[in-house]
Amino acid sequence: MRFFTLTLLLLVGVSMHSQVTQPVEDSLNIRKFYDVSLLHGKSYEWLDHLSNKIGGRLSGSVNAERAVRYTREQLEQLELDKVWLQPVRVPKWTRGIQEYAYIQVEGGNTTVVNIAALGGSEPTPRTGLRAQVIEVQGVEDLQNYPREMIEGKIVFYNKAMEPDLIDPFDAYDRSLNQRYHGAVQAAKYGAVGVIVRSATHRIHDQPHTGTVDYGDLPQDERIPAAAISTRDANYLSGLLSLNRGTSLYMKMNSQNHGEVDSHNVIAEIQGSEFPDEVILIGAHLDSWDLGDGAHDNGAGVVQAMEVLRLFLKAGIQPKRTIRVVLFMNGENGLRGAEKYAREAQGRNEQHIFALESDAGGFSPRGFSLEATDQQLERILQWKPLFEPYLIHYFGRGGSGADLEPLKDSKIVLAGLKTDSQRYFDYHHAATDTFDQVNQRELELGAATMASLVYLVDRYGFSEENKI
Amino acid sequence: MRFFTLTLLLLVGVSMHSQVTQPVEDSLNIRKFYDVSLLHGKSYEWLDHLSNKIGGRLSGSVNAERAVRYTREQLEQLELDKVWLQPVRVPKWTRGIQEYAYIQVEGGNTTVVNIAALGGSEPTPRTGLRAQVIEVQGVEDLQNYPREMIEGKIVFYNKAMEPDLIDPFDAYDRSLNQRYHGAVQAAKYGAVGVIVRSATHRIHDQPHTGTVDYGDLPQDERIPAAAISTRDANYLSGLLSLNRGTSLYMKMNSQNHGEVDSHNVIAEIQGSEFPDEVILIGAHLDSWDLGDGAHDNGAGVVQAMEVLRLFLKAGIQPKRTIRVVLFMNGENGLRGAEKYAREAQGRNEQHIFALESDAGGFSPRGFSLEATDQQLERILQWKPLFEPYLIHYFGRGGSGADLEPLKDSKIVLAGLKTDSQRYFDYHHAATDTFDQVNQRELELGAATMASLVYLVDRYGFSEENKI
């Protein structure tokens, strides 16, 4: 009974705001996605399993393979048209069981600080590494120092994420360089190690990891690199301002193990009219190892799976093929995404649209889009259909790292835009756990994704297909 | 340097989207509010004190008076034009130290369940109350039972908040009747007590309190009323479906103490051109007693205070008087709001706009507005100025309970609309604590409020004043 009331409200809303009349069927079908997701959703249960029964699932780990098996099994139970694994070679890196650092000031007082090896980091020598510390504000600040001030020291990159940027992803992007390229740049100046301020606005005790890239630096010149918690970064910076003789001892036995076998997990509903046109929904299945990867990117994984399930439960047969790809190695190499794109090109598959959720399982706000003016205009025509669900954002912006290799002149790429002010409280840290994901927010995201996929499937992007 | 880049981007954004050209000065001033709030904000520190140094502050309690004194002192330190207290008589009710319930099934097994007296509830007899339980789905379901099925029993209202409503406030509103009027209705059928399913989507162990209203029911016919946690509500419902003989024992020594003296806290910056026109920013200073009232409504209190501070720090002198009113007794009586409105009418003050934040310290999404078509149209002209801050929602809707007594044909009322999917996880429960408020989200809300207040101050709502 209430269903019809809501639907009527929805239709009124649409006719008031839209210049183009939307078919009633579209509002009804979109309402179905939200109803099924909120009343009979499966995404939260799947995420509970991925997070609490499996946990952190770094590429090459046993847990990553358990996640491959679990998601394949769950997708097979949905009775889709096709579920398969695509082999991928991935780098394997392990954190090791020793990860330890303390600060020593002149006079001998020591304070333990919280660090975590950056992903891919070389270990320290077995007896650890002790050196004086020099603080710099980002990679670009290195050039302000003569080599002799850096040589033999541990470089402490302490550039903070800027709080005045409204979108935390902008602040993250601007802080990324010191984590990603900091070690290779510091090594060129003769530094013996690197610690990097964690990329989070929050002042807390958790180090936030992430990839360090040594580029083509020879093996014997690679120096160990760790993230330090923001609270300890502030403490260390304060000490250094008082006493430049402060030294740091760090010990890590992380290890690179070369490449191992892993898989992308792929599942699809085949299109009834244009089975050769593929709409892809992607998410990376791997995660960092410190937390359980609930927001990054367990949420995206279960939302992608849920989109297929919502089509089935809502009884909507797509005209085009809707394919979910759970990419392996989204965090530290994008090997799964590259392999998928390469093979898709080899098979001459036509991907018209790809959507990724990789901004946490928070309230959906809309979509960031990589599209031509004409394609964007088409999508904006659908905006009124989303208003009853408080989805307002349809702007240009990056989609998701795993979709980049698919980019060509025809495909439209999209990323689910979430309310991401809290995202970097959890990102790549031990705080990224299931209990920080809100069930409703996760479910609303899945339904929002299904709705856009539905409209793309129904109307496509070619000229003659306008509503 | 970056400030100017952002500003330029902002201006481009505005000229692209807006049909009306906005003065550059407005974008610059709005940017200032966000910069000061995010870089040098005070709201989070104030909230820390209100939540952690004071705590829950129910009307009539010592803590409520401490909150009056603290907020007055803090406002006085800002060096505003005027800070004062307005005396208000408020009801005083105390929870008491005994609050206890267990379920007993036929055969004797007992299970303790989590309850909390509803605000204003009568106590049970000293030895507690034991009776069989009858479950009903909301007040309207009572009429489906003959009096003899209800007489002498405890009525268990178990209507759940509906998950398929997108805005949780809609679901809350639809569940409110059983908590507010459930006791008086059940008493008419001869029930001896009432327990009400907590108003939250979350299945957890926390009871969520809130006002119970006995209307004009004579004192000796008033029956005790408590909230029960959603997990225990589900458990009890399951037991009842197996065994209708299930009984509940409950004991509460809550107490109504009549009326006591308290205060609204008021502060203002006087307008330079139209000092007699008042723009009001309101929030209720009292809270329920189970948590520390950080979201409800500590967040709104510190955001209102911060708006005044942002004007000062940004160096913007308003043309109209901007007044903050921290209302006492927003939770269980609205005495502060009624007193304020009555005296304002008596003084013939002209309130042109009133804004309340009472939807938690979450990411701001926009404003719900009570306005004429013409007033709404004026506000919609400002929408492009908010887009860089991801503020998109400007729709009709209720403002805030404390503003209702001010309503007349001229005033525009507004409520800050937040991303409120999590709100009812905390609302009126022990989980409403400072650690659940995100600093950035709180600060973004304050800047968003200041921006709308600024535009209303600058352009007003009269015909000749259009941009």
Side-chain angles (χ1 to χ4, degrees):
Chain A
M1 193 59 190
R2 192 161 40 69
F3 179 77
F4 290 104
T5 319
L6 283 170
T7 306
L8 282 175
L9 283 172
L10 173 61
L11 299 178
V12 171
V14 169
S15 64
M16 273 167 51
H17 290 95
S18 171
Q19 288 138 332
V20 186
T21 308
Q22 312 281 346
V24 174
E25 197 189 345
D26 291 341
S27 348
L28 290 173
N29 284 334
I30 287 173
R31 182 69 235 180
K32 276 188 206 163
F33 291 136
Y34 282 91
D35 279 346
V36 177
S37 190
L38 290 167
L39 294 169
H40 313 288
K42 190 99 167 146
S43 54
Y44 195 63
E45 183 189 323
W46 281 330
L47 186 63
D48 187 7
H49 189 105
L50 266 183
S51 305
N52 291 323
K53 299 259 169 62
I54 295 178
R57 44 198 175 277
L58 192 56
S59 291
S61 67
V62 171
N63 272 2
E65 291 318 294
R66 291 173 67 207
V68 165
R69 195 182 314 161
Y70 174 70
T71 50
R72 181 176 67 169
E73 280 168 9
Q74 292 300 311
L75 287 163
E76 278 170 349
Q77 284 175 26
L78 295 184
E79 303 188 3
L80 302 158
D81 292 322
K82 211 172 154 195
V83 179
W84 72 102
L85 299 184
Q86 181 175 45
V88 192
R89 293 284 287 173
V90 297
K92 175 171 175 152
W93 174 84
T94 52
R95 179 170 300 282
I97 53 169
Q98 290 182 339
E99 210 162 41
Y100 183 74
Y102 63 84
I103 300 168
Q104 186 156 28
V105 292
E106 279 177 356
N109 280 9
T110 55
T111 308
V112 171
V113 289
N114 294 297
I115 64 161
L118 293 182
S121 172
E122 294 297 322
T124 61
R126 274 175 200 228
T127 53
L129 173 69
R130 184 193 307 272
Q132 286 205 340
V133 179
I134 179 166
E135 175 178 341
V136 298
Q137 305 307 315
V139 171
E140 50 287 2
D141 191 23
L142 273 180
Q143 65 190 34
N144 297 323
Y145 297 87
R147 185 183 168 92
E148 57 268 28
M149 280 194 71
I150 292 172
E151 199 163 19
K153 289 195 182 141
I154 292 172
V155 169
F156 167 34
Y157 289 104
N158 194 28
K159 189 174 166 185
M161 269 174 71
E162 295 155 90
D164 50 338
L165 296 176
I166 304 304
D167 187 335
F169 280 96
D170 292 342
Y172 177 71
D173 289 348
R174 291 169 64 121
S175 80
L176 203 52
N177 200 23
Q178 63 183 4
R179 193 198 76 206
Y180 199 72
H181 294 123
V184 71
Q185 292 303 322
K188 288 180 185 166
Y189 283 75
V192 294
V194 156
I195 52 172
V196 183
R197 183 188 183 90
S198 287
T200 177
H201 286 301
R202 196 135 210 165
I203 306 301
H204 64 178
D205 290 321
Q206 304 294 333
H208 294 237
T209 191
T211 298
V212 58
D213 182 57
Y214 291 110
D216 51 8
L217 205 65
Q219 182 66 36
D220 60 350
E221 294 176 24
R222 298 182 177 195
I223 59 178
I228 183 170
S229 80
T230 47
R231 200 192 302 279
D232 287 331
N234 286 354
Y235 174 70
L236 177 54
S237 182
L239 281 182
L240 288 167
S241 71
L242 294 171
N243 186 342
R244 291 183 174 273
T246 301
S247 69
L248 185 96
Y249 173 85
M250 61 194 281
K251 190 171 175 184
M252 310 189 304
N253 63 345
S254 51
Q255 208 179 334
N256 282 299
H257 303 266
E259 291 189 357
V260 298
D261 288 329
S262 188
H263 301 90
N264 293 331
V265 180
I266 311 180
E268 70 183 25
I269 301 173
Q270 275 157 15
S272 58
E273 286 183 42
F274 315 109
D276 297 336
E277 294 189 19
V278 177
I279 294 173
L280 185 148
I281 308 154
H284 65 82
L285 184 53
D286 59 312
S287 78
W288 284 105
D289 55 334
L290 294 176
D292 65 33
H295 275 298
D296 188 13
N297 190 15
V301 166
V302 301
Q303 286 174 328
M305 292 164 64
E306 183 76 344
V307 171
L308 292 181
R309 188 175 160 275
L310 293 180
F311 271 83
L312 296 178
K313 297 290 168 189
I316 297 170
Q317 166 63 51
K319 297 196 286 186
R320 295 166 167 87
T321 292
I322 300 183
R323 180 182 294 170
V324 161
V325 184
L326 307 179
F327 295 106
M328 185 49 67
N329 193 224
E331 284 296 5
N332 54 339
L334 294 179
R335 297 293 187 81
E338 285 161 5
K339 176 73 176 286
Y340 177 83
R342 209 161 47 237
E343 294 209 351
Q345 276 154 9
R347 281 193 304 273
N348 240 331
E349 284 178 346
Q350 191 191 349
H351 286 65
I352 67 158
F353 181 65
L355 168 62
E356 179 158 15
S357 163
D358 191 15
F362 301 96
S363 279
R365 301 286 300 265
F367 299 93
S368 54
L369 298 152
E370 301 184 61
T372 64
D373 288 349
Q374 186 195 318
Q375 290 160 340
L376 190 59
E377 196 188 316
R378 172 76 54 96
I379 292 171
L380 287 173
Q381 288 180 359
W382 303 329
K383 210 178 150 183
L385 287 163
F386 288 90
E387 278 183 17
Y389 308 100
L390 305 173
I391 302 298
H392 304 105
Y393 188 91
F394 294 81
R396 291 192 189 281
S399 50
D402 299 293
L403 304 184
E404 290 299 305
L406 283 172
K407 207 184 270 192
D408 65 23
S409 58
K410 283 187 217 146
I411 193 169
V412 175
L413 299 181
L416 182 71
K417 192 172 179 71
T418 65
D419 192 296
S420 55
Q421 296 299 335
R422 293 165 184 254
Y423 185 57
F424 292 95
D425 295 0
Y426 313 117
H427 182 251
H428 294 186
T431 43
D432 184 4
T433 52
F434 178 69
D435 55 306
Q436 297 305 325
V437 177
N438 177 281
Q439 181 172 353
R440 288 180 62 77
E441 294 179 0
L442 183 75
E443 290 168 349
L444 287 166
T448 303
M449 292 167 68
S451 302
L452 183 58
V453 166
Y454 164 83
L455 291 164
V456 171
D457 174 59
R458 196 167 169 100
Y459 300 107
F461 290 111
S462 58
E463 262 307 284
E464 65 276 16
N465 246 337
K466 282 201 181 172
I467 307 189
Chain B
M1 193 59 188
R2 191 162 39 72
F3 178 78
F4 290 105
T5 320
L6 282 172
T7 306
L8 282 175
L9 282 172
L10 172 61
L11 299 179
V12 172
V14 169
S15 64
M16 271 166 53
H17 290 96
S18 170
Q19 287 139 330
V20 186
T21 307
Q22 312 281 345
V24 172
E25 198 189 344
D26 291 341
S27 347
L28 290 173
N29 283 335
I30 287 173
R31 182 68 235 181
K32 276 188 206 162
F33 291 135
Y34 282 92
D35 280 345
V36 176
S37 190
L38 290 166
L39 293 169
H40 313 289
K42 190 99 166 144
S43 54
Y44 194 63
E45 184 188 322
W46 281 330
L47 187 63
D48 187 7
H49 190 105
L50 265 185
S51 306
N52 291 323
K53 299 258 169 63
I54 296 177
R57 43 197 175 278
L58 192 56
S59 290
S61 67
V62 171
N63 272 2
E65 291 319 293
R66 291 172 67 206
V68 166
R69 195 182 314 162
Y70 173 70
T71 50
R72 181 177 68 169
E73 280 168 10
Q74 292 300 312
L75 287 164
E76 278 170 350
Q77 284 176 26
L78 294 184
E79 302 187 4
L80 301 159
D81 293 320
K82 209 172 156 196
V83 178
W84 72 100
L85 299 184
Q86 181 175 46
V88 191
R89 293 285 287 175
V90 297
K92 176 172 174 151
W93 173 85
T94 52
R95 179 170 299 284
I97 53 169
Q98 289 183 338
E99 210 163 42
Y100 182 74
Y102 62 84
I103 299 168
Q104 185 156 27
V105 292
E106 279 177 354
N109 281 10
T110 56
T111 308
V112 171
V113 291
N114 294 296
I115 64 160
L118 293 182
S121 172
E122 295 296 321
T124 60
R126 276 178 198 225
T127 52
L129 172 68
R130 185 193 306 274
Q132 285 206 343
V133 179
I134 179 165
E135 175 178 341
V136 298
Q137 306 307 315
V139 171
E140 50 287 2
D141 191 22
L142 273 181
Q143 65 191 32
N144 298 323
Y145 297 87
R147 186 184 168 92
E148 58 268 28
M149 280 194 71
I150 292 174
E151 199 163 19
K153 290 194 181 143
I154 293 172
V155 169
F156 167 34
Y157 288 105
N158 194 28
K159 189 174 165 184
M161 270 175 69
E162 295 154 88
D164 50 338
L165 296 177
I166 303 304
D167 187 335
F169 281 95
D170 293 340
Y172 177 69
D173 289 348
R174 291 169 63 122
S175 80
L176 202 53
N177 199 25
Q178 63 184 5
R179 193 198 76 206
Y180 200 72
H181 295 123
V184 70
Q185 293 303 320
K188 289 180 185 166
Y189 284 74
V192 294
V194 156
I195 53 172
V196 184
R197 182 187 183 91
S198 288
T200 177
H201 287 302
R202 196 133 209 166
I203 305 301
H204 65 178
D205 289 322
Q206 304 295 334
H208 295 237
T209 190
T211 298
V212 58
D213 181 56
Y214 292 110
D216 51 7
L217 205 64
Q219 182 65 38
D220 61 348
E221 292 177 25
R222 298 182 177 194
I223 59 177
I228 183 170
S229 80
T230 47
R231 201 192 302 277
D232 288 330
N234 286 353
Y235 174 69
L236 176 56
S237 182
L239 281 183
L240 288 168
S241 71
L242 293 171
N243 184 344
R244 293 183 173 269
T246 301
S247 68
L248 185 94
Y249 172 85
M250 63 195 279
K251 190 172 174 184
M252 311 190 303
N253 63 344
S254 50
Q255 207 178 335
N256 282 299
H257 303 267
E259 290 188 357
V260 297
D261 287 329
S262 187
H263 301 90
N264 292 331
V265 181
I266 311 182
E268 69 184 24
I269 301 173
Q270 275 157 15
S272 58
E273 288 183 42
F274 315 109
D276 297 337
E277 293 189 19
V278 176
I279 294 173
L280 185 148
I281 308 153
H284 65 82
L285 184 52
D286 59 310
S287 78
W288 284 106
D289 55 335
L290 295 175
D292 64 34
H295 275 297
D296 186 14
N297 188 14
V301 165
V302 300
Q303 286 173 328
M305 292 165 64
E306 183 76 343
V307 171
L308 291 181
R309 190 176 159 274
L310 294 179
F311 271 83
L312 296 178
K313 297 289 169 190
I316 297 169
Q317 167 62 50
K319 299 196 284 184
R320 294 167 169 86
T321 292
I322 301 183
R323 180 182 294 168
V324 161
V325 184
L326 307 179
F327 296 105
M328 186 49 68
N329 192 224
E331 285 295 5
N332 53 340
L334 294 177
R335 297 292 188 83
E338 284 161 5
K339 175 73 175 286
Y340 176 84
R342 208 160 49 236
E343 295 209 348
Q345 277 155 9
R347 282 193 304 274
N348 241 330
E349 284 178 347
Q350 191 191 348
H351 285 66
I352 68 159
F353 180 65
L355 168 63
E356 179 158 14
S357 162
D358 191 15
F362 302 96
S363 278
R365 302 287 301 263
F367 299 94
S368 54
L369 298 152
E370 301 185 61
T372 63
D373 288 350
Q374 185 195 320
Q375 290 161 339
L376 190 59
E377 196 187 315
R378 172 76 54 94
I379 292 171
L380 288 173
Q381 287 180 1
W382 303 328
K383 209 178 151 184
L385 288 163
F386 288 90
E387 276 182 18
Y389 307 100
L390 305 174
I391 302 298
H392 304 104
Y393 188 91
F394 294 81
R396 291 192 189 280
S399 50
D402 299 293
L403 303 184
E404 289 299 306
L406 284 171
K407 207 183 269 190
D408 65 23
S409 59
K410 286 187 213 142
I411 193 169
V412 175
L413 299 181
L416 182 70
K417 193 174 176 74
T418 66
D419 193 295
S420 56
Q421 296 300 333
R422 294 166 184 254
Y423 186 55
F424 293 94
D425 295 0
Y426 313 119
H427 182 252
H428 296 186
T431 45
D432 184 3
T433 52
F434 178 69
D435 57 306
Q436 297 305 324
V437 177
N438 178 280
Q439 182 172 353
R440 289 180 62 75
E441 294 179 1
L442 183 74
E443 291 168 348
L444 287 166
T448 303
M449 290 167 69
S451 303
L452 183 58
V453 166
Y454 163 83
L455 291 164
V456 171
D457 174 59
R458 197 169 168 97
Y459 300 106
F461 290 112
S462 58
E463 261 307 283
E464 64 277 16
N465 245 337
K466 280 201 182 173
I467 308 189

